[in-house]
Amino acid sequence: MPENARFIPNMSPDELAAVQLEGLKWTVHHAYQGSPFYKRRLDEAGIHPGDIKHISDLTRLPFTTAYDLQAEYPLPLLSVPEERVVRIHGSSGTTGKRKILSYTRKDIDDWADMFARCYELAGLTTLDRVQICVGYGLWTAGAGFQIGCERFGAMALPVGPGMLDIQLQMLTDLGATCLGSTASMALLLGEEVEKQNLRGKLKLKRSIFGAEAHTKKMRRRFEEALGLEHSFDISGMTEIYGPGAGIECEAHEGIHYWADMYILELIDPDTLEPVAPGELGEMVITSLKKEASPLIRYRTRDMTRLIPGFCPCGCTMPRHERIQGRSDDMIIFRGVNIYPGQVAAVLDKHPQMQSEYQIGLTRADGLDHMVVRAERQAGVPESDSDQLAKAIALEIKNQILVTAKVEILAPGTLPRSFAKTKRVVDEREKD
């Protein structure tokens, strides 16, 4: 952690626990008084704000889900008078309606402080120039990167997604030192830099990326292509302000999350019970300071593990592993539950393969069929493809317990994305 940190708090476990209990009491009272939805939900559970006396009382509270946000559309969870709302952001929902979250002026300020912590922990200074390559508008990403950059004091280069020619021009002419993007966008830019032989003209040193699961191989690939000294995985979602809810440090031993701003639980997505220490679980978030749209035990669907102990970087904020995927990204294939990340992990073991892959699912004659399409590394001859395909298919069968056809493709064959890469194409007939 940087010496004399301006934004990152230094708290002992006891101090953090006290902050969390105070924030939990405030949130439940605030939501109960201000939100008809939360009042109804808490009354149904037989809970009054005065019942919250210990941090363990958190588990007595009911869960909130994305479906609740959609059912209360257009301004769900609103817990303040509308005249105090200064902004909304939204993300797509599973039923077609967007999940809209409201923000007060204080919410925006708190979000800016959280993201400023991320820049600080990533080792930036006020002399850095941050090229922001994520979406603006309803999506929180661009706004989050920008307000955090301005609060921290670095120079924001607000390019947005896409526009490769402009991205490369800004990188070279304005000398961006930090890239803010998705992992897919960083990979796309890295490949373009290599094609145009621009590596020597870049001043990039760091990258802050997030919004999608990625493999170690994908990360190494864009780090090498862009000449980065460090890259940092960032966490966040619209429901908990936006990006900036946590970030890796230079030790790269997990993501520090801002536990003074929200409580993180991990549960089994099927039983809804807490998982054992070290086990993979679904992140459940309870906000501690959000005014306009507070969260009480919100099921994020993101899957991760908590990391015990203290980080060698000196930051006292707790850690979780990088996001492994989403519980609702699970594929059911011939009765077997599969996460796309399991296929990525198999490919990651083969040095002849690049990071890009796609899973295709079809149904014929009453049976499901899977094809895994993946790119070989540049320099690996096409004549090796059959042998590689057989080896990968065998490992998929041994590790994931399903039979898949594997197709080895030339580098650059699969579609690239400015945002999140679509890993699964499910063309099975819907019942």
Side-chain angles (χ1 to χ4, degrees):
M1 187 168 104
E3 292 185 12
N4 303 316
R6 292 184 296 145
F7 297 98
I8 303 170
N10 184 17
M11 294 185 184
S12 69
D14 287 343
E15 289 171 331
L16 181 57
V19 168
Q20 289 190 332
L21 178 56
E22 180 183 359
L24 176 61
K25 290 179 177 179
W26 177 86
T27 293
V28 174
H29 181 270
H30 173 71
Y32 187 86
Q33 295 296 324
S35 164
F37 165 80
Y38 275 129
K39 185 178 188 306
R40 181 173 68 253
R41 183 63 61 85
L42 290 168
D43 284 343
E44 290 170 353
I47 297 172
H48 187 270
D51 298 333
I52 307 302
K53 301 181 184 301
H54 306 282
I55 201 72
S56 58
D57 291 328
L58 175 68
T59 58
R60 299 175 56 193
L61 299 171
F63 292 105
T64 310
T65 70
Y67 295 103
D68 293 323
L69 270 66
Q70 291 159 346
E72 298 289 316
Y73 182 88
L75 295 177
L77 313 185
L78 188 62
S79 300
V80 297
E82 188 174 330
E83 57 264 28
R84 292 191 58 202
V85 175
V86 300
R87 189 193 298 180
I88 61 98
H89 281 290
S91 61
S92 59
T94 55
T95 63
K97 289 185 178 179
R98 293 189 176 276
K99 295 176 288 184
I100 302 293
L101 280 301
S102 304
Y103 299 71
T104 65
R105 179 69 260 171
K106 181 180 180 298
D107 291 335
I108 297 295
D109 288 340
D110 286 344
W111 183 18
D113 285 339
M114 289 167 64
F115 212 123
R117 295 179 184 183
C118 295
Y119 287 123
E120 189 168 65
L121 198 56
L124 271 68
T125 74
T126 54
L127 293 177
D128 276 290
R129 299 181 178 188
V130 183
Q131 186 152 322
I132 302 170
C133 309
V134 290
Y136 283 77
L138 274 177
W139 196 26
T140 54
F145 270 89
Q146 180 147 343
I147 63 173
C149 191
E150 292 167 351
R151 179 62 53 87
F152 178 74
M155 182 191 296
L157 310 180
V159 183
M163 303 180 293
L164 276 179
D165 289 344
I166 296 177
Q167 300 284 2
L168 295 173
Q169 181 184 6
M170 294 294 103
L171 284 174
T172 54
D173 293 355
L174 283 170
T177 58
C178 179
L179 187 70
S181 70
T182 62
S184 293
M185 182 64 181
L187 178 64
L188 182 61
L189 272 174
E191 291 178 339
E192 198 64 28
V193 164
E194 287 185 331
K195 287 178 186 176
Q196 299 191 31
N197 196 27
L198 295 174
R199 172 84 172 272
K201 297 182 179 180
L202 300 187
K203 294 183 179 180
L204 281 176
K205 300 297 182 184
R206 285 168 166 75
S207 167
I208 296 174
F209 68 96
E212 61 180 336
H214 66 281
T215 64
K216 292 181 180 178
K217 183 175 288 186
M218 182 182 192
R219 184 173 187 165
R220 288 194 301 268
R221 177 78 180 92
F222 70 68
E223 284 177 342
E224 293 168 0
L226 294 170
L228 302 175
E229 295 175 358
H230 291 283
S231 66
F232 301 90
D233 193 3
I234 196 170
S235 66
M237 61 184 65
T238 302
E239 293 90 327
I240 187 69
Y241 300 98
I247 194 171
E248 287 180 315
C249 62
E250 290 191 2
H252 299 292
E253 295 183 9
I255 293 176
H256 290 276
Y257 65 94
W258 313 129
D260 60 324
M261 301 297 293
Y262 62 94
I263 297 173
L264 176 60
E265 302 173 79
L266 293 187
I267 64 168
D268 183 304
D270 296 320
T271 67
L272 306 184
E273 294 297 321
V275 300
E279 286 190 2
L280 189 69
E282 179 186 331
M283 297 172 67
V284 174
I285 286 176
T286 299
S287 63
L288 300 176
K289 298 182 180 181
K290 282 188 97 223
E291 293 185 334
S293 299
L295 300 179
I296 296 178
R297 302 197 81 194
Y298 180 74
R299 294 187 59 187
T300 69
R301 297 292 185 175
D302 287 334
M303 305 293 290
T304 189
R305 292 180 178 87
L306 292 177
I307 300 175
F310 292 100
C311 182
C313 81
C315 179
T316 59
M317 288 287 115
R319 293 169 294 159
H320 62 76
E321 289 185 353
R322 66 184 179 87
I323 305 302
Q324 303 297 307
R326 292 178 55 83
S327 59
D328 50 4
D329 282 343
M330 186 180 71
I331 302 164
I332 301 177
F333 178 76
R334 298 192 183 185
V336 178
N337 297 342
I338 302 168
Y339 290 99
Q342 292 175 276
V343 174
V346 169
L347 295 170
D348 208 34
K349 295 179 180 178
H350 293 266
Q352 307 97 320
M353 303 303 297
Q354 293 205 47
S355 61
E356 294 308 283
Y357 70 96
Q358 189 177 82
I359 301 168
L361 300 171
T362 57
R363 181 171 294 151
D365 300 323
L367 285 176
D368 289 350
H369 300 272
M370 178 187 295
V371 57
V372 175
R373 302 178 179 91
E375 296 179 2
R376 62 181 183 271
Q377 293 276 16
V380 174
E382 185 179 358
S383 57
D384 289 357
S385 293
D386 287 345
Q387 184 178 351
L388 265 174
K390 291 177 183 177
I392 293 169
L394 179 60
E395 192 159 358
I396 288 175
K397 187 167 186 176
N398 290 337
Q399 297 294 324
I400 309 177
L401 307 179
V402 297
T403 299
K405 179 183 178 182
V406 176
E407 296 179 358
I408 306 298
L409 308 175
T413 302
L414 290 171
R416 301 303 198 251
S417 174
F418 295 123
K420 302 179 185 181
T421 297
K422 186 176 179 63
R423 298 297 184 190
V424 179
V425 179
D426 193 344
E427 297 178 333
R428 294 176 292 187
E429 296 176 358
K430 304 297 181 182
D431 294 331

